Amino acid sequence: MAEAYARGGRYGKALAALGAVGALAVGAAAPAGASEAGTGGGERYVALGDSYTSAPGVPEQTGGDCARSSVNYPSVTAKWLHTRTFKDVSCSGATTDDMWRTQGANPPQLNALGKGTTLVTVGIGGNDIGFGDIIGTCAQLSVTDPAGAPCRTKYTEGGKDQLTARIAAAAPKVARVLKDVRKRAPHARVVIVGYPTIMPDNGVGCFPAVPIAAGDVSYLRDTEKHLNTMLKQQAAKAGVRYADTYGPTVGHDVCKPATDRWVEGANPENPAAPFHPNAKGEEAMARAVFGVAKKR
């Protein structure tokens, strides 16, 4: 997600907020099913996706201007699966259109697939609804009415929920991606990955620490759930798998203390881009993905 952070100096301002924060040590202990010999052993795994997949700001960064982390969920999943080959072509700021087109010096993500690919994960859709702009707008409006819902008012003006409409418009785009994935990698198990908990799953948030107005916390939470529902529905229609990363991350949202937080807020206290998973969040996502991907 977060197209707004991804263009023009790729996360420069966002990552400046990290200051001198050190790398977060995460053991990434293997879950049940990941034996020493490996569950897959011969997997040829390709990971596609946006910044929730690439994990900008999470040490160590290895993906150039795509802001990929060496401990993002695809990398951790690949380790647990003991893959034969692994290609992570996820790129911060990616939309569904970027599956077929270059991003800077990076070739189209779908080009990484082949008939020998046995596992594909896809984390996409957030930038298609304008996640970065939505968060930025809601943060700016929060100071005008901290106890109200100025962002919801803006996006539902005229009686139509613009974000609901954006999610509906993104659905056929996601379907097109999945169709082409199946065409290019006909023998692969395909997993579409949902987005983890960002806003608290209940309550009114933690303004001003996280600059989202009280009434907009539930609005953004419901919008994310709607996005995840759409992704799950598209997975079912395409005959592919869906990895729920929302449920396993409830209780580790942007308002939790730094030690318990898996998604950072506007001013990250653990290495990550604003409103993105930190290393613990990526590991939690990996556990959800691994649980679905390992099944034959």
Side-chain angles (χ1 to χ4, degrees):
M1 287 191 187
E3 178 78 8
Y5 293 118
R7 305 302 186 193
R10 191 75 70 175
Y11 291 93
K13 292 182 180 179
L15 298 184
L18 297 175
V21 179
L24 180 65
V26 178
S35 66
E36 183 176 346
T39 300
E43 296 285 10
R44 294 178 173 86
Y45 172 26
V46 176
L48 316 175
D50 58 25
S51 56
Y52 267 61
T53 301
S54 67
V58 178
E60 293 181 356
Q61 292 285 287
T62 60
D65 63 353
C66 278
R68 280 184 222 112
S69 169
S70 61
V71 293
N72 60 11
Y73 76 74
S75 298
V76 175
T77 300
K79 177 182 177 181
W80 288 339
L81 287 172
H82 293 263
T83 55
R84 178 178 297 179
T85 63
F86 169 54
K87 295 179 183 178
D88 179 6
V89 294
S90 62
C91 198
S92 297
T95 66
T96 51
D97 288 341
D98 290 316
M99 299 297 104
W100 290 276
R101 68 186 182 191
T102 59
Q103 277 185 273
N106 304 284
Q109 292 191 33
L110 286 167
N111 288 6
L113 301 176
K115 296 189 184 305
T117 304
T118 62
L119 175 65
V120 183
T121 57
V122 185
I124 203 72
N127 287 322
D128 287 85
I129 71 168
F131 174 81
D133 289 339
I134 293 166
I135 290 293
T137 297
C138 292
Q140 291 175 357
L141 291 175
S142 68
V143 298
T144 67
D145 187 9
C151 194
R152 179 176 61 195
T153 298
K154 172 181 172 57
Y155 285 117
T156 59
E157 188 176 7
K160 179 181 179 181
D161 191 323
Q162 297 174 39
L163 303 190
T164 297
R166 291 184 190 182
I167 292 171
K173 297 179 180 180
V174 173
R176 180 172 172 243
V177 171
L178 295 177
K179 182 178 180 180
D180 206 356
V181 169
R182 295 296 297 271
K183 180 180 178 180
R184 295 178 187 233
H187 307 298
R189 304 189 309 287
V190 180
V191 181
I192 189 163
V193 182
Y195 291 97
T197 304
I198 304 171
M199 295 294 132
D201 197 53
N202 54 59
V204 294
C206 51
F207 183 92
V210 174
I212 301 296
D216 287 331
V217 170
S218 60
Y219 177 62
L220 292 178
R221 176 175 64 233
D222 290 346
T223 297
E224 185 190 358
K225 288 183 176 181
H226 188 184
L227 173 62
N228 279 335
T229 295
M230 180 273 283
L231 294 174
K232 185 176 182 179
Q233 290 172 342
Q234 293 308 312
K237 289 180 179 179
V240 305
R241 307 177 187 193
Y242 175 74
D244 171 25
T245 65
Y246 187 96
T249 55
V250 169
H252 299 278
D253 54 76
V254 295
C255 286
K256 292 298 183 288
T259 53
D260 297 327
R261 188 186 311 139
W262 292 353
V263 174
E264 296 297 315
N267 297 296
E269 295 181 74
N270 300 301
F275 293 99
H276 279 69
N278 55 35
K280 289 182 178 179
E282 289 290 329
E283 181 183 350
M285 294 177 74
R287 288 182 180 276
V289 171
F290 176 81
V292 174
K294 71 178 181 179
K295 299 177 181 177
R296 295 290 176 169

